Structures are given as C-alpha cells and as structure tokens.
Amino acid sequence: MCERDGLFFQRFSRRGLLRTMGSAGAAIALPGHLAALMAPAAAAGAMTTVKATHGSGFCNLGMFLAHERKLTEADGVTLDFVVTPSNAEITTMFGAGLVDMSMIPYSNFMTLYDAGAPVKIVAGGGVQGCMIVAREGIRSAADLKGKTLGTFQADTLEVLPFDYLKKAGLTFRDLDVRYLDTSPELAQAFIAGAVDAICHIEPYATQCLQSRKGATLLSDGTDVYGAGYSDCVLAARTPFIEKNPAAVRAVIKALFTAQAQIESDRDAALKDTVGSYYKTTMAAAVDASAKQPVCTDQRNQTDFIIARGQSMKEMGYVKTAPGRDAFDWSLLEQVIAANRPLYDGLKLKSA
C-alpha cells in the first residue's frame, strides 16, 4: 500500500496540489491546464459572478440545478463553474483562492483548513451515498484483508473505508490501497477487475454494482455513521464572505430552491442534469439519486464532521481536527429567516 508520511501537501504536489494555501493573495504558478480554466468570464452587466468548483456525485445535484436553471440570477448573481481535470485539483484551486466557493467533501475541506487556508463551511450539499462495493466472494470487512481497495486521497471516500475497517479491528495496512484521480477512472478500475473493492459515490457506485457480476455492497455508510451523515459541503473563502455576503446568501438560497425543486419533482431535475452533468441513464439516475439526497441545511452534522477530524488525524492528513470555528452558519440562517416558507417546505433539514 501507499504509506502515509503525514505531509499532505508535499505528497499531493506531484498531482497538482499546492503546498501553500493560506493566503488568498499569494502569487501562484499554475500548471498550464489549470491556468487555461481561469480565463476571465464574459462581462455580465451588473451581475456579481461567483466562481465555483464542484465534484461529480449526486451530492452536487443542488449545485448543478442552481447553475442549469440560473437560480442565483434573481438575486443578481451569476454562478460560474470552473471544471477541473481531476478531484485533487478541485482542492487546489479552492485552497489557492482561484475560486470563491466549492462544493467539496468535508475531508478535503479539513486539509485546507488545517493548512491555514481562509475557508469556512457555509452550507451543506448532499448526505449519505458513500458506498463500499466489492467483487464476488468478498462479503465482509474481514474478507478485504490482503485485497486491493480503490479510492481518492483525503476524500470522504477514503474516510468511510478507514472507519469501516477500524470498526472491524482492521487498518489500511491490512489492504493494498490504490488512489485514483477521477470518478469515471475509479469506477472503470473496479468494473475492469483492476481492484477488488472501491469506495465510491452515486451514480458510480450503483453502476459498479450493476456492471460487475456478483458485486456486493459492503457498506452504504449508514452502518458506520447512521442515517443522514454528511458527504459534501459548500465552503467559501473567508475574504469573499466578508466582501460579498449577499452573493454567498444568493448561492445558499439557490441551493434551498434547487432542493425544493428536486424534492417536488425529481424526474424533472434529473432530466435537466443527466447527460450534461451525469453520464448515466435516467433509470440509473433515479435509483442512485435517492441514495444520496440533497440537504442544504446540515447544521445538525457539525458534530459528525468535527468527529471525522480524528480519522483524518490518524490517516496523517491533518495535525488538528477542526472545531466549530470552521463553520459559519450565519448566512444560511439569514437565508432561512428571509425565506421561511421555502425552508419550511423542505423534507431534509436540521430543524
């Protein structure tokens, strides 16, 4: 397996991550493929443009729908997605201050926060949906001993198998852990038989179960964490929050609106995103999206996320687990207060 030395940013430098992410104004030399992504957007009149990165799972469905249906524009904000070549570069660009906000796994957020980047969790994205899928013949954590596991580094998809194995008295030293770069690559590695097991998000986990004969779902996370556990969160740069709180509120409001639309008409939401954002069939999307629902108000997940910091410490990714100062729920609470009927109509929420 790949041994950990605890030097997260040193180890990630080979894959494009930056060692120094604490200063929003630092001079940074980006790889050419990332620099090209940062070309100035076209002028949008009086609209405020918010640059954001995102992932690929159904925890991003609210963000995708907000973008596709232009749900921020009624509040004078244009949501501009910066699409990155790999999962690691989502963290790179956000931590370096090249985008204002990111829909990001809470674990990746921790690495930035621990490194001193000025970032705060301001809202939620999706809950549940992290799944450990294994090939035929593997039915338990004990069966994983000596086998290969594919995942992403410092991701919630690494935290779950770490905690799953720990619960069974095992560690990553009992496996051969292999790290991949993108969601399609991780899924294909399992389907092609290159690894014995993976931890993945939806819709890829369901695709893997359906595409490899005899595949088994070892964990959907609820057996380890309970129902409603957080996967990804919306984080924002602190300087951006301070400079333009109205824009942050506009994005949070759009996520609440998107969640309401998804909960009232999931098929319509999927028709607007399958194909352009999700490379899967509608039938698979309907099944998969129900396993990883959108939940914008994740205030009740604060303690859960903080507790996962201990696992991140044990894996060598952070020196200190985040505290409550890593969260700023104030803008979310302002949006709730100003849009009470919208909030009250939501099915998934903290209160």
Side-chain angles (χ1 to χ4, degrees):
M1 66 172 282
C2 179
E3 292 293 325
R4 291 175 175 75
D5 55 15
L7 301 177
F8 172 75
F9 288 102
Q10 275 192 3
R11 299 184 68 237
F12 268 65
S13 63
R14 297 191 300 274
R15 301 173 62 198
L17 277 176
L18 307 172
R19 289 189 63 188
T20 304
M21 295 187 176
S23 172
I28 297 167
L30 282 180
H33 67 282
L34 287 186
L37 295 173
M38 298 310 300
M47 303 287 281
T48 298
T49 297
V50 175
K51 285 188 174 293
T53 51
H54 59 78
S56 58
F58 272 113
C59 52
N60 293 269
L61 181 57
M63 195 75 157
F64 292 157
L65 203 64
H67 181 266
E68 185 69 16
R69 294 181 177 175
K70 305 183 186 303
L71 299 179
T72 59
E73 293 192 2
D75 292 304
V77 172
T78 298
L79 188 57
D80 181 17
F81 282 166
V82 179
V83 181
T84 58
S86 73
N87 286 31
E89 285 159 336
I90 296 171
T91 308
T92 300
M93 299 192 77
F94 181 49
L98 300 176
V99 296
D100 307 306
M101 308 179 80
S102 183
M103 188 63 76
I104 189 171
Y106 64 75
S107 52
N108 295 117
F109 169 86
M110 286 183 192
T111 63
L112 296 175
Y113 190 78
D114 183 65
V119 293
K120 297 278 189 181
I121 292 173
V122 297
V127 294
Q128 302 184 179
C130 299
M131 302 193 179
I132 303 173
V133 180
R135 66 163 172 78
E136 62 282 358
I138 299 176
R139 301 285 179 179
S140 67
D143 292 337
L144 285 172
K145 195 168 185 178
K147 304 298 193 300
T148 53
L149 170 74
T151 188
F152 301 133
Q153 280 191 302
D155 197 282
T156 53
L157 299 179
E158 187 179 13
V159 178
L160 173 58
F162 180 85
D163 289 342
Y164 173 77
L165 290 167
K166 185 177 180 180
K167 186 177 179 181
L170 300 170
T171 73
F172 275 178
R173 287 187 171 85
D174 294 306
L175 283 71
D176 176 9
V177 182
R178 300 180 183 179
Y179 299 106
L180 293 95
D181 287 323
T182 69
S183 293
E185 180 186 13
L186 180 58
Q188 188 54 41
F190 177 77
I191 293 169
V195 292
D196 297 310
I198 59 168
C199 188
H200 218 331
I201 48 174
E202 293 293 6
Y204 302 98
T206 293
Q207 289 176 348
C208 290
L209 279 168
Q210 295 174 347
S211 299
R212 186 164 174 177
K213 186 177 179 180
T216 301
L217 177 64
L218 293 184
S219 172
D220 66 358
T222 60
D223 54 319
V224 181
Y225 301 139
Y229 65 88
S230 178
D231 172 34
C232 62
V233 294
L234 181 69
R237 301 275 305 178
T238 303
F240 186 74
I241 296 172
E242 294 171 348
K243 180 182 178 181
N244 205 333
V248 180
R249 286 195 295 268
V251 174
I252 296 172
K253 177 184 172 184
L255 292 180
F256 276 130
T257 302
Q259 181 182 338
Q261 292 177 355
I262 293 163
E263 290 178 350
S264 64
D265 193 343
R266 181 174 298 272
D267 287 350
L270 293 176
K271 285 177 182 177
D272 282 351
T273 53
V274 170
S276 53
Y277 298 99
Y278 298 111
K279 307 303 181 183
T280 187
T281 64
M282 273 295 296
V286 169
D287 177 48
S289 63
K291 300 172 184 173
Q292 192 169 33
V294 170
C295 183
T296 306
D297 176 14
Q298 291 190 19
R299 290 174 294 174
N300 63 356
Q301 291 300 300
T302 302
D303 289 340
F304 168 81
I305 294 172
I306 290 173
R308 302 283 70 72
Q310 180 59 36
S311 298
M312 290 290 286
K313 283 179 62 178
E314 292 174 11
M315 288 191 285
Y317 287 123
V318 301
K319 293 180 180 178
T320 305
R324 292 184 178 276
D325 55 353
F327 302 80
D328 182 356
W329 299 121
S330 64
L331 297 175
L332 179 140
E333 289 168 349
Q334 291 168 24
V335 172
I336 292 172
N339 301 272
R340 197 75 212 187
L342 170 63
Y343 179 78
D344 288 344
L346 297 174
K347 297 176 183 176
L348 290 181
K349 55 195 174 185
S350 291

